[in-house]
Amino acid sequence: MRVRVYRPAKSASQSGYALAHQWVIEAENATPRVPEHIMGWSSARDTFSCLRGRLRFPSQDDAIAFAKGNGWSVIMNEPQERTFRPRTYAQNFRIQRPQDEERTAYTK
């Protein structure tokens, strides 16, 4: 079975980073999802599909060790770190003209 190990991004609807520091193991679907005939729910014959996003680990090494210990092949997704440029409150209201942007882009 193939699993993907990644660190999820911060939720767009919240400002906190509560679950963004943990690493997640997510299994790939081994069987396609098909709608159930009576209720219309989508179902799969794969038992790991219910674990989507539920296996969380404090570090990348712990997640990889768990996956390798179970004999799963691992696909790593490296996290993209956020770039933070500190600004003052006054810079929120500063007028930035297009010709000024070109000059400041090359001086930094």
Side-chain angles (χ1 to χ4, degrees), residues 57-72:
F57 296 90
S59 71
Q60 178 183 11
D61 296 331
D62 292 341
I64 292 173
F66 181 82
K68 298 261 183 185
N70 286 317
W72 300 338

Side-chain angles (χ1 to χ4, degrees), residues 48-107:
F48 286 104
S49 64
C50 64
L51 290 178
R52 187 157 303 270
R54 294 227 171 91
L55 296 175
R56 296 185 180 272
F57 296 90
S59 71
Q60 178 183 11
D61 296 331
D62 292 341
I64 292 173
F66 181 82
K68 298 261 183 185
N70 286 317
W72 300 338
S73 62
V74 177
I75 300 170
M76 278 298 304
N77 289 30
E78 294 295 327
Q80 294 184 354
E81 297 298 328
R82 185 181 100 142
T83 57
F84 178 72
R85 288 180 274 154
R87 296 173 43 158
T88 63
Y89 183 71
Q91 287 177 333
N92 291 332
F93 305 101
R94 190 180 73 192
I95 297 173
Q96 184 75 24
R97 293 174 284 197
Q99 61 267 22
D100 294 340
E101 286 181 7
E102 292 174 5
R103 276 188 251 140
T104 57
Y106 297 114
T107 58

Side-chain angles (χ1 to χ4, degrees), residues 4-23:
R4 185 170 69 118
V5 176
Y6 67 97
R7 191 170 73 192
K10 179 182 86 69
S11 171
S13 62
Q14 300 289 327
S15 61
Y17 285 93
L19 296 176
H21 297 294
Q22 297 177 345
W23 289 82

